[in-house]
Amino acid sequence: MKYTTNNPRQLAVETLVRTSSGSYSNLQINAVIESTTMNAADRGLFTNIVYGVIQHRLTLEFQLKPFLRDPEKTESWVKELLYTAMYQLEYLDRVPKRAIFDETIKISKKMGHDGTRRFVTGILHQMDRKGMPKIADIQNETDRLSVMYSVPTWLISMLQVQLGKPKTAAILKSLNKAPKQSVRFNAAKITKSQLMDQLTVDGFDVEASKVSESGIVIDGGQIIHSSFFKDGLLTIQDESAMLPVESMAIHPSDLILDACSAPGGKTTQIASHLTDGKVFALDIHNNKLKTVKRNASRLGVLPQVETFELDARKVDQKFKDEMFDQILVDAPCSGLGLLRRKPEIRYDKTPEDIERLSHIQMQILEAVAPKVKTGGTITYSTCTIVKQENQDVVSEFVRRHPDFQIDKTKTALDLHQDETGMLKIYPDDYESDGFFVCSLVKKS
């Protein structure tokens, strides 16, 4: 797509219109950055505004509503423009109010007409004169939390029932913090200490992850544009997402099935531990498997990876029983552990999605169960934090398959498991993604 401006605020409005229609924010942001000539400061402002408005959408909707006579008749881009102004006023300390008003009014005329300019100007001055409605005045507690943290009421209620009010409150408070930039060092090419030393010399601030032994938290620049990334010395991955493979105790000659592999972070993590072994990576979309191969090639582990365009529920079509030493099922899920990194998920998902996905998760486990050797392990993981997709799926699977038992999920940094041995990471625990990992051993 061609863009007719390099104005970060206007580009933010255009991007928000597309994401509100169902496009993924990270893909849209990357496309804009690659297709324009914004400088580093403008790229930062643009990204901050887009993610900020999405993160705080329910808050901003509540605050704007009293100033719109007829919200349904207000064009969507005008609302997004006003949200960008409100976000800057509320959350960005360094941007002067006059600059925000001037830029917003200019954009309203450029994207609309003089009538739009007058409309936007009037609302901005009303907000300035009257002030925003107070969230504290909302009487219902769940509604108040929903507006305060911009999380749907159904999800808050579900988490309160499953985790209790104090834990839910801690999770909600953590969700709108900026996500950390974390990478996994590529064990096939470099050691962790070597990489950390080289990153420091190159001007990055680095810290060893407190979640995964493979992880490094980085500050001081965009690592994706660095030679470290291009040369395959590291790959971008959340700290929690490294744990499923870390828990697997891989031997160099293992045959491993990665039942749901794209985009390949865990596939390549497995492959980095293999020499004469092999990881068979499945996905239902061939274009996603191309991404897996690209990542494996960049990281120098392509010889250890074999891809198959296949639904994991149909593994009987390709693979023999008891063929694999280990199987990873990083199952398709609601993604509710990723709300900090992918904020639009909170508005896209419904309780019905959770129910539907839990059935798919069970179908995948049932299909792959015969393919692991006796004594082998199925590692089941998700990036969600609700019981229906995690403990409930595992409990039902073990009930149906008494030849499997839950084993303690082991991590290098010995993270706390619950009494059953399952590992549950919540977004507030380490300010990483929410994740669930369970080890299912096939008994003799």
Side-chain angles (χ1 to χ4, degrees):
M1 178 180 289
K2 287 186 177 180
Y3 297 93
T4 58
T5 181
N6 279 317
N7 184 320
R9 291 176 171 88
Q10 182 175 333
L11 288 167
V13 175
E14 294 173 1
T15 303
L16 286 163
V17 170
R18 285 191 292 276
T19 57
S20 65
S21 302
S23 300
Y24 290 116
S25 59
N26 60 327
L27 299 180
Q28 288 296 322
I29 286 170
N30 291 341
V32 171
I33 288 173
E34 289 171 9
S35 304
T36 58
T37 57
M38 286 187 289
N39 61 34
D42 283 348
R43 288 198 300 270
L45 178 62
F46 159 74
T47 304
N48 190 331
I49 292 173
V50 174
Y51 277 134
V53 169
I54 295 172
Q55 280 180 327
H56 298 280
R57 183 169 292 281
L58 297 185
T59 310
L60 297 171
E61 285 178 356
F62 167 80
Q63 291 174 330
L64 178 61
K65 190 175 180 182
F67 299 100
L68 296 179
R69 288 182 184 174
D70 194 341
E72 297 301 318
K73 289 186 178 178
T74 305
E75 290 182 87
S76 61
W77 74 264
V78 175
K79 285 192 252 187
E80 299 298 342
L81 173 62
L82 288 165
Y83 294 151
T84 65
M86 294 161 67
Y87 172 74
Q88 291 173 81
L89 289 165
E90 185 77 18
Y91 300 99
L92 300 186
D93 297 334
R94 295 182 183 178
V95 185
K97 180 169 67 175
R98 180 180 293 177
I100 295 168
F101 277 31
D102 286 349
E103 281 292 319
T104 304
I105 291 165
K106 284 177 187 173
I107 293 168
S108 69
K109 185 173 182 181
K110 186 173 180 182
M111 292 184 68
H113 46 73
D114 202 50
T116 319
R117 179 190 63 77
R118 288 195 299 272
F119 177 75
V120 168
T121 302
I123 287 180
L124 290 175
H125 286 301
Q126 277 189 69
M127 288 178 177
D128 193 34
R129 195 167 59 251
K130 295 180 180 178
M132 297 296 187
K134 291 181 172 57
I135 295 171
D137 291 342
I138 301 173
Q139 294 301 306
N140 180 279
E141 182 192 28
T142 306
D143 291 342
R144 186 169 63 253
L145 290 172
S146 174
V147 171
M148 183 182 297
Y149 297 112
S150 206
V151 173
T153 53
W154 70 263
L155 180 54
I156 293 173
S157 298
M158 184 179 288
L159 292 175
Q160 286 177 333
V161 169
Q162 294 182 7
L163 304 174
K165 288 187 177 182
K167 183 63 175 177
T168 300
I171 291 171
L172 293 173
K173 285 176 187 175
S174 78
L175 289 180
N176 290 332
K177 294 180 180 178
K180 291 183 281 187
Q181 182 178 219
S182 61
V183 301
R184 172 173 56 81
F185 83 93
N186 181 15
K189 288 190 174 185
I190 196 168
T191 68
K192 184 177 180 179
S193 61
Q194 286 171 337
L195 179 58
M196 289 182 74
D197 288 345
Q198 290 182 27
L199 286 164
T200 302
V201 169
D202 233 47
F204 290 97
D205 295 324
V206 299
E207 181 185 356
S209 169
K210 295 179 176 63
V211 180
S212 169
E213 190 176 51
S214 302
I216 301 170
V217 178
I218 296 181
D219 201 0
Q222 290 296 314
I223 198 68
I224 194 168
H225 302 303
S226 71
S227 60
F228 298 100
F229 181 84
K230 291 171 188 169
D231 295 341
L233 301 180
L234 55 79
T235 195
I236 296 168
Q237 193 171 13
D238 186 80
E239 299 163 89
S240 299
M242 304 174 199
L243 295 174
V245 175
E246 186 176 291
S247 75
M248 290 173 68
I250 296 164
H251 299 107
S253 58
D254 277 352
L255 284 184
I256 297 176
L257 178 67
D258 186 352
C260 314
S261 67
K266 297 176 186 66
T267 303
T268 55
Q269 188 177 359
I270 292 169
S272 70
H273 295 287
L274 301 176
T275 51
D276 51 339
K278 183 82 79 172
V279 53
F280 295 83
L282 312 186
D283 199 89
I284 58 176
H285 300 293
N286 189 50
N287 63 321
K288 290 187 177 182
L289 289 173
K290 290 177 183 175
T291 303
V292 174
K293 287 180 181 176
R294 278 198 304 272
N295 284 328
S297 178
R298 179 176 60 83
L299 295 166
V301 295
L302 190 57
Q304 286 78 41
V305 177
E306 193 165 341
T307 60
F308 294 86
E309 186 181 353
L310 184 67
D311 187 323
R313 293 170 290 185
K314 299 177 181 177
V315 287
D316 266 338
Q317 296 178 4
K318 290 281 184 184
F319 304 108
K320 298 175 184 176
D321 286 355
E322 302 224 342
M323 177 176 170
F324 296 103
D325 299 291
Q326 300 196 60
I327 295 175
L328 172 63
V329 176
D330 186 46
C333 70
S334 60
L336 294 171
L338 310 180
L339 298 189
R340 185 185 294 114
R341 201 171 296 279
K342 296 183 177 179
E344 64 266 36
I345 287 174
R346 64 186 83 188
Y347 316 117
D348 294 343
K349 299 301 178 185
T350 65
E352 290 72 31
D353 290 325
I354 291 172
E355 186 71 22
R356 176 181 57 82
L357 286 160
S358 67
H359 289 303
I360 293 172
Q361 292 150 3
M362 179 61 67
Q363 289 170 349
I364 293 172
L365 280 174
E366 297 248 74
V368 303
K371 307 306 173 188
V372 69
K373 295 175 182 176
T374 301
T377 301
I378 297 176
T379 300
Y380 176 75
S381 65
T382 73
C383 55
T384 189
I385 55 175
V386 293
K387 191 167 174 276
Q388 297 94 315
E389 298 180 79
N390 295 337
Q391 302 98 298
D392 289 356
V393 170
V394 169
S395 297
E396 178 61 16
F397 174 77
V398 172
R399 188 190 69 78
R400 295 185 193 181
H401 296 268
D403 53 331
F404 281 85
Q405 68 181 26
I406 298 170
D407 200 12
K408 180 180 177 182
T409 300
K410 300 178 181 70
T411 60
L413 301 181
D414 199 25
L415 301 183
H416 175 72
Q417 304 87 11
D418 70 6
E419 62 280 359
T420 65
M422 294 182 269
L423 180 64
K424 293 175 282 190
I425 303 289
Y426 294 99
D428 63 309
D429 291 342
Y430 304 97
E431 295 187 5
S432 60
D433 289 346
F435 242 84
F436 174 85
V437 189
C438 179
S439 303
L440 296 160
V441 178
K442 192 172 191 178
K443 299 180 289 187
S444 58

